[in-house]
Amino acid sequence: MSQIADNILSVKERIEKAALKAGRDPGEVKLVAVSKTVGVKEIKDAISAGVTILGESYIQEAKEKIEEIGHQVQWHMIGHLQTNKVKQAINLFDMIHSVDRIGLAEEIDKRTKQSGKRVSVLIQVNISQETTKSGIERDRAISLVSKVAKLTNIKVEGLMTMPPYFDDPEDARPYFKSLRELKGEIERERFGNISMKELSMGMSNDFEIAIEEGATIVRIGTAIFGERE
Ligand SMILES: *Cc1c(COP(=O)(O)O)cnc(C)c1O
């Protein structure tokens, strides 16, 4: 078996274990293999080993790979998205994890209406308030969602976050818990037109903790493809 196939097997086992430990159905947790900086050959290895969703952070890089590999798999945009790249992003991706401002949501709404291609989106929340990270601040998130809920072409399906890196993943737990609680707060607002079914949280270093706190999508790069350059 290739190293990548071996890694995928091990990540899937760990996902299953973490879900069962939390009393959850492992089938509720989707694996996004994060392939930024990873070459087409390695990505094809991952697809052969059963990966069905790939995560990319940069439009141009993703475009080249998607042209070569195609839509036999789903492609998710997990990086910061500039408003002037929305048209391309809608054509390339099945889901955009990084909607963090109303202007971006409005542009997605407008381009969706024009193209008829409907991508799913997640609202990215900067739970840790680190200034270097993208994402709407936690206390402004409900207000943002209330505005996005008025747009009729955009399809909101949940929330995404990226906590700080900790050597001990247990330290990331409060951030995951906070995102899950925010999801509950938004659900109680009963905004029309949006769903809160997805929580995209957990990376190579901390995905088991994220699953224990309710993640439905984990975004894993290093544990599958090895360290990035
Ligand atoms: C790179 C990246 C990941 C994957 O990180 P790993 O630590 O390599 O698993 C997940 N989410 C986002 C938003 C990323 O940019």
Side-chain angles (χ1 to χ4, degrees):
M1 209 189 320
S2 77
Q3 183 65 54
I4 288 172
D6 207 23
N7 292 345
I8 290 167
L9 199 63
S10 138
V11 164
K12 284 186 170 172
E13 280 169 8
R14 289 169 61 191
I15 289 173
E16 184 174 335
K17 239 184 175 166
L20 293 174
K21 182 181 170 195
R24 301 183 55 204
D25 171 3
E28 285 174 14
V29 184
K30 291 186 274 287
L31 169 62
V32 174
V34 175
S35 51
K36 63 182 181 218
T37 79
V38 173
V40 165
K41 185 188 169 299
E42 288 75 18
I43 296 176
K44 286 182 173 168
D45 274 357
I47 295 169
S48 301
V51 158
T52 58
I53 312 173
L54 290 154
E56 288 282 341
S57 297
Y58 310 99
I59 295 282
Q60 189 53 40
E61 184 187 337
K63 185 168 179 282
E64 287 163 22
K65 294 175 186 175
I66 295 170
E67 278 170 2
E68 205 165 328
I69 295 168
H71 292 274
Q72 53 174 317
V73 284
Q74 277 193 29
W75 295 90
H76 287 198
M77 174 61 182
I78 62 170
H80 179 74
L81 181 58
Q82 290 170 266
T83 309
N84 64 6
K85 300 269 170 71
V86 163
K87 190 179 169 192
Q88 285 190 75
I90 284 181
N91 281 321
L92 293 169
F93 293 102
D94 301 286
M95 181 179 266
I96 297 169
H97 290 227
S98 47
V99 174
D100 60 358
R101 54 198 192 277
I102 188 64
L104 181 59
E106 284 169 346
E107 183 68 12
I108 293 172
D109 189 69
K110 180 179 124 191
R111 296 285 180 184
T112 300
K113 194 173 177 194
Q114 286 170 357
S115 71
K117 171 144 192 293
R118 208 153 183 239
V119 289
S120 301
V121 312
L122 304 178
I123 304 297
Q124 181 175 356
V125 186
N126 184 0
I127 295 275
S128 60
Q129 315 265 15
E130 287 170 291
T131 49
T132 54
K133 290 238 167 90
S134 330
I136 183 84
E137 289 158 49
R138 194 197 192 284
D139 24 346
R140 294 173 56 215
I142 294 186
S143 160
L144 174 62
V145 173
S146 76
K147 292 184 193 128
V148 178
K150 297 197 177 96
L151 306 172
T152 51
N153 298 291
I154 192 170
K155 189 171 152 202
V156 177
E157 301 210 312
L159 304 175
M160 181 271 224
T161 199
M162 198 172 164
Y165 176 88
F166 296 103
D167 286 326
D168 181 357
E170 195 55 53
D171 294 338
R173 188 184 295 277
Y175 300 95
F176 297 139
K177 184 166 179 274
S178 178
L179 194 72
R180 169 165 48 80
E181 288 168 352
L182 177 61
K183 170 184 185 284
E185 289 165 32
I186 293 170
E187 281 167 342
R188 281 192 289 282
E189 297 282 343
R190 298 191 174 280
F191 298 120
N193 200 35
I194 62 152
S195 146
M196 277 288 126
K197 67 172 191 253
E198 307 289 2
L199 279 179
S200 168
M201 55 188 198
M203 305 173 25
S204 293
N205 186 54
D206 54 21
F207 68 89
E208 284 135 317
I209 305 292
I211 290 169
E212 287 176 31
E213 294 300 331
T216 63
I217 301 177
V218 291
R219 309 178 310 266
I220 300 181
T222 311
I224 291 175
F225 296 109
E227 290 290 341
R228 285 179 294 274
E229 302 281 295

